[in-house]
Amino acid sequence: MKKIILTGALICLGGTALAQEHTLTTYTQLSSPEYHDTGTSGPSVGDMYLRYGEVALTPDGPVVGDYYTQATLVFHDEQAGKSARSFKKEFILPGGSIYTMDFVALDHGKPVEAEHVSEGAIIGGTGDYAGIRGTYTLRIVSSGDSAETTLRYWLGK
């Protein structure tokens, strides 16, 4: 009986070893968003801002993949100048894709400022990233034209 319990404990510990933490930092140039007015004319809930661009693993490094973002307006108060957006992003990398999600409150109509930081969840992946889970931190660099994203994740069960 003790052998069974010990074996079970070792299997459980071995399974946690597979879920080792990884870190991946990406660098992306911020393209101008493509605005899709889906509701009434002008900013309203449901409107989308789409961006496409290239991904590098070092600042000014070679391109290793692409990204796609979709920001959907989920709250809008014109008088207060406030809004909130649901952000979804796909990093398309050589080994597969990583999907992230975040909600961000903003001063509506103003661009995100340099050094803006947001944090969100890694919600899935494909290929080498199948079974991924974790978090990420996105920081707009001081020039305001690119972003550094640090993904902290685990693979496995």
PDB file of all heavy atoms in Angstrom, residues 6 10 16 37 51 54 70 85 121 133 136-137:
ATOM      1  N   LEU A   6       3.328   6.158  -2.540  1.00  0.00           N
ATOM      2  CA  LEU A   6       4.580   6.799  -2.927  1.00  0.00           C
ATOM      3  C   LEU A   6       4.652   6.965  -4.445  1.00  0.00           C
ATOM      4  O   LEU A   6       5.024   8.019  -4.950  1.00  0.00           O
ATOM      5  CB  LEU A   6       5.767   5.979  -2.420  1.00  0.00           C
ATOM      6  CG  LEU A   6       7.158   6.544  -2.731  1.00  0.00           C
ATOM      7  CD1 LEU A   6       7.290   7.960  -2.173  1.00  0.00           C
ATOM      8  CD2 LEU A   6       8.234   5.646  -2.168  1.00  0.00           C
ATOM      9  N   LEU A  10       4.857  10.503  -6.502  1.00  0.00           N
ATOM     10  CA  LEU A  10       5.912  10.794  -7.475  1.00  0.00           C
ATOM     11  C   LEU A  10       5.331  11.156  -8.842  1.00  0.00           C
ATOM     12  O   LEU A  10       5.834  12.043  -9.526  1.00  0.00           O
ATOM     13  CB  LEU A  10       6.868   9.607  -7.593  1.00  0.00           C
ATOM     14  CG  LEU A  10       7.765   9.358  -6.369  1.00  0.00           C
ATOM     15  CD1 LEU A  10       8.557   8.062  -6.556  1.00  0.00           C
ATOM     16  CD2 LEU A  10       8.695  10.533  -6.132  1.00  0.00           C
ATOM     17  N   THR A  16       3.844  18.065 -12.117  1.00  0.00           N
ATOM     18  CA  THR A  16       4.035  19.497 -11.872  1.00  0.00           C
ATOM     19  C   THR A  16       5.351  19.964 -12.459  1.00  0.00           C
ATOM     20  O   THR A  16       5.479  21.114 -12.832  1.00  0.00           O
ATOM     21  CB  THR A  16       3.972  19.827 -10.363  1.00  0.00           C
ATOM     22  OG1 THR A  16       4.985  19.089  -9.695  1.00  0.00           O
ATOM     23  CG2 THR A  16       2.612  19.534  -9.787  1.00  0.00           C
ATOM     24  N   ASP A  37     -16.914  50.876 -37.542  1.00  0.00           N
ATOM     25  CA  ASP A  37     -18.073  51.462 -36.857  1.00  0.00           C
ATOM     26  C   ASP A  37     -19.255  50.520 -37.043  1.00  0.00           C
ATOM     27  O   ASP A  37     -19.874  50.495 -38.100  1.00  0.00           O
ATOM     28  CB  ASP A  37     -18.354  52.841 -37.452  1.00  0.00           C
ATOM     29  CG  ASP A  37     -19.317  53.670 -36.640  1.00  0.00           C
ATOM     30  OD1 ASP A  37     -19.884  53.141 -35.663  1.00  0.00           O
ATOM     31  OD2 ASP A  37     -19.493  54.850 -36.970  1.00  0.00           O
ATOM     32  N   ARG A  51      -5.679  45.868 -35.554  1.00  0.00           N
ATOM     33  CA  ARG A  51      -4.278  46.156 -35.907  1.00  0.00           C
ATOM     34  C   ARG A  51      -3.625  44.866 -36.387  1.00  0.00           C
ATOM     35  O   ARG A  51      -3.923  43.790 -35.894  1.00  0.00           O
ATOM     36  CB  ARG A  51      -3.477  46.652 -34.700  1.00  0.00           C
ATOM     37  CG  ARG A  51      -3.796  48.025 -34.237  1.00  0.00           C
ATOM     38  CD  ARG A  51      -2.836  48.393 -33.095  1.00  0.00           C
ATOM     39  NE  ARG A  51      -3.322  49.472 -32.297  1.00  0.00           N
ATOM     40  CZ  ARG A  51      -2.890  50.724 -32.362  1.00  0.00           C
ATOM     41  NH1 ARG A  51      -1.938  51.043 -33.207  1.00  0.00           N
ATOM     42  NH2 ARG A  51      -3.386  51.652 -31.581  1.00  0.00           N
ATOM     43  N   GLU A  54       4.073  43.053 -37.429  1.00  0.00           N
ATOM     44  CA  GLU A  54       5.124  42.049 -37.345  1.00  0.00           C
ATOM     45  C   GLU A  54       5.614  41.906 -35.910  1.00  0.00           C
ATOM     46  O   GLU A  54       5.541  42.853 -35.127  1.00  0.00           O
ATOM     47  CB  GLU A  54       6.282  42.443 -38.257  1.00  0.00           C
ATOM     48  CG  GLU A  54       5.860  42.510 -39.721  1.00  0.00           C
ATOM     49  CD  GLU A  54       6.946  43.061 -40.625  1.00  0.00           C
ATOM     50  OE1 GLU A  54       7.790  43.865 -40.155  1.00  0.00           O
ATOM     51  OE2 GLU A  54       6.953  42.675 -41.803  1.00  0.00           O
ATOM     52  N   GLN A  70      -7.662  42.769 -31.838  1.00  0.00           N
ATOM     53  CA  GLN A  70      -9.039  43.247 -31.983  1.00  0.00           C
ATOM     54  C   GLN A  70      -9.431  43.872 -30.648  1.00  0.00           C
ATOM     55  O   GLN A  70      -9.471  43.193 -29.630  1.00  0.00           O
ATOM     56  CB  GLN A  70      -9.977  42.101 -32.303  1.00  0.00           C
ATOM     57  CG  GLN A  70     -11.440  42.517 -32.357  1.00  0.00           C
ATOM     58  CD  GLN A  70     -12.342  41.320 -32.587  1.00  0.00           C
ATOM     59  OE1 GLN A  70     -12.032  40.450 -33.373  1.00  0.00           O
ATOM     60  NE2 GLN A  70     -13.451  41.286 -31.873  1.00  0.00           N
ATOM     61  N   ARG A  85     -12.396  48.788 -23.315  1.00  0.00           N
ATOM     62  CA  ARG A  85     -12.281  47.914 -24.479  1.00  0.00           C
ATOM     63  C   ARG A  85     -11.852  46.520 -24.056  1.00  0.00           C
ATOM     64  O   ARG A  85     -11.061  46.357 -23.137  1.00  0.00           O
ATOM     65  CB  ARG A  85     -11.244  48.466 -25.461  1.00  0.00           C
ATOM     66  CG  ARG A  85     -11.648  49.805 -26.014  1.00  0.00           C
ATOM     67  CD  ARG A  85     -10.606  50.357 -26.936  1.00  0.00           C
ATOM     68  NE  ARG A  85     -10.962  51.720 -27.295  1.00  0.00           N
ATOM     69  CZ  ARG A  85     -10.218  52.499 -28.044  1.00  0.00           C
ATOM     70  NH1 ARG A  85      -9.064  52.059 -28.515  1.00  0.00           N
ATOM     71  NH2 ARG A  85     -10.615  53.714 -28.327  1.00  0.00           N
ATOM     72  N   ALA A 121      -4.499  37.978 -19.571  1.00  0.00           N
ATOM     73  CA  ALA A 121      -4.399  36.526 -19.502  1.00  0.00           C
ATOM     74  C   ALA A 121      -4.016  35.930 -20.843  1.00  0.00           C
ATOM     75  O   ALA A 121      -4.420  36.420 -21.894  1.00  0.00           O
ATOM     76  CB  ALA A 121      -5.739  35.940 -19.065  1.00  0.00           C
ATOM     77  N   ARG A 133      -1.029  28.328 -20.658  1.00  0.00           N
ATOM     78  CA  ARG A 133      -1.786  29.166 -19.734  1.00  0.00           C
ATOM     79  C   ARG A 133      -0.784  30.096 -19.065  1.00  0.00           C
ATOM     80  O   ARG A 133       0.395  29.766 -18.936  1.00  0.00           O
ATOM     81  CB  ARG A 133      -2.558  28.336 -18.723  1.00  0.00           C
ATOM     82  CG  ARG A 133      -1.706  27.457 -17.849  1.00  0.00           C
ATOM     83  CD  ARG A 133      -2.565  26.450 -17.071  1.00  0.00           C
ATOM     84  NE  ARG A 133      -1.791  25.631 -16.176  1.00  0.00           N
ATOM     85  CZ  ARG A 133      -1.074  24.572 -16.540  1.00  0.00           C
ATOM     86  NH1 ARG A 133      -1.015  24.221 -17.808  1.00  0.00           N
ATOM     87  NH2 ARG A 133      -0.410  23.870 -15.647  1.00  0.00           N
ATOM     88  N   TYR A 136       0.382  37.963 -19.145  1.00  0.00           N
ATOM     89  CA  TYR A 136       1.323  38.791 -19.898  1.00  0.00           C
ATOM     90  C   TYR A 136       1.254  40.229 -19.394  1.00  0.00           C
ATOM     91  O   TYR A 136       0.273  40.659 -18.799  1.00  0.00           O
ATOM     92  CB  TYR A 136       1.045  38.742 -21.402  1.00  0.00           C
ATOM     93  CG  TYR A 136      -0.186  39.506 -21.815  1.00  0.00           C
ATOM     94  CD1 TYR A 136      -0.089  40.843 -22.199  1.00  0.00           C
ATOM     95  CD2 TYR A 136      -1.438  38.912 -21.814  1.00  0.00           C
ATOM     96  CE1 TYR A 136      -1.225  41.560 -22.571  1.00  0.00           C
ATOM     97  CE2 TYR A 136      -2.562  39.613 -22.184  1.00  0.00           C
ATOM     98  CZ  TYR A 136      -2.443  40.935 -22.565  1.00  0.00           C
ATOM     99  OH  TYR A 136      -3.568  41.642 -22.921  1.00  0.00           O
ATOM    100  N   THR A 137       2.328  40.957 -19.657  1.00  0.00           N
ATOM    101  CA  THR A 137       2.392  42.393 -19.388  1.00  0.00           C
ATOM    102  C   THR A 137       2.798  43.075 -20.677  1.00  0.00           C
ATOM    103  O   THR A 137       3.801  42.697 -21.292  1.00  0.00           O
ATOM    104  CB  THR A 137       3.425  42.705 -18.283  1.00  0.00           C
ATOM    105  OG1 THR A 137       3.069  41.974 -17.108  1.00  0.00           O
ATOM    106  CG2 THR A 137       3.457  44.193 -17.976  1.00  0.00           C
TER     107      THR A 137
END
